[in-house]
Amino acid sequence: MAPPQDRLVGVLLGTALGDALGLPAEGLKPHVITRRFGSMDRFHLLGPTGFTSDDTEMTALVGHCLLGHPRDVNACVRAFGWAVRGFVARLPFGIGLATLRASFRLLLGLRRSGVPSAGNGAAMRAAVVGAFFAGDGPRCRDFSDALARVTHTDVRAVEG
């Protein structure tokens, strides 16, 4: 099995590419996507240039926190909370509403930052946790759930 760092690079590259390809179609119905873009096999946002959304940046932040705290879920969650604070302070493009609300809760110093949203933000970051803890299901689940709750508390978002 490849080392965690190599698996993280693969997940981050795949996440960024898929995010950049799909970003212009986010939230659109399939028939609208087909009518507007035809196939989604090239970048469409600003000419031939692709851009990623907050999902890719948040995934990278999770990967960074996992590398810094691979054995301590609480330290990893604290580091991710601080990373989210810095992320929102940069006024990111396309940030989801739940993540924005959770970010402000973190900036205000509230103990519980996650918001009751069933959005997919936490699920978008799950692949990097799975790749990092490949073969260690219990730790993967512990870290994944705890990191999801930083922004989302709805059980559907955490389970996703």
Side-chain angles (χ1 to χ4, degrees):
M1 182 178 296
Q5 293 87 341
D6 291 348
R7 293 192 308 264
L8 289 178
V9 168
V11 168
L12 290 172
L13 288 173
T15 297
L17 181 59
D19 192 17
L21 284 169
L23 183 61
E26 189 168 328
L28 300 178
K29 296 190 181 305
H31 72 278
V32 174
I33 294 169
T34 301
R35 187 177 68 238
R36 187 175 295 171
F37 302 112
S39 101
M40 296 298 292
D41 59 352
R42 63 183 180 80
F43 301 120
H44 291 277
L45 195 59
L46 292 174
T49 304
F51 294 87
T52 59
S53 73
D54 63 314
D55 295 322
T56 297
E57 189 164 353
M58 295 287 278
T59 299
L61 293 175
V62 168
H64 185 332
C65 294
L66 288 169
L67 287 171
H69 306 282
R71 292 178 187 80
D72 185 344
V73 68
N74 293 322
C76 187
V77 165
R78 278 192 305 277
F80 183 57
W82 282 106
V84 171
R85 287 175 181 92
F87 168 73
V88 77
R90 293 188 301 273
L91 304 173
F93 170 74
I95 188 170
L97 183 57
T99 301
L100 182 63
R101 289 174 37 217
S103 299
F104 283 125
R105 292 177 63 82
L106 283 163
L107 287 169
L108 292 172
L110 300 178
R111 183 165 182 231
R112 184 174 158 181
S113 57
V115 297
S117 167
N120 68 348
M124 296 297 292
R125 305 184 302 257
V128 74
V129 181
F132 190 81
F133 290 113
D136 188 349
R139 271 199 334 163
C140 180
R141 181 64 181 240
D142 289 346
F143 275 76
S144 179
D145 288 359
L147 289 163
R149 286 189 188 99
V150 171
T151 55
H152 297 72
T153 59
D154 188 296
V155 67
R156 295 169 291 179
V158 175
E159 288 294 316

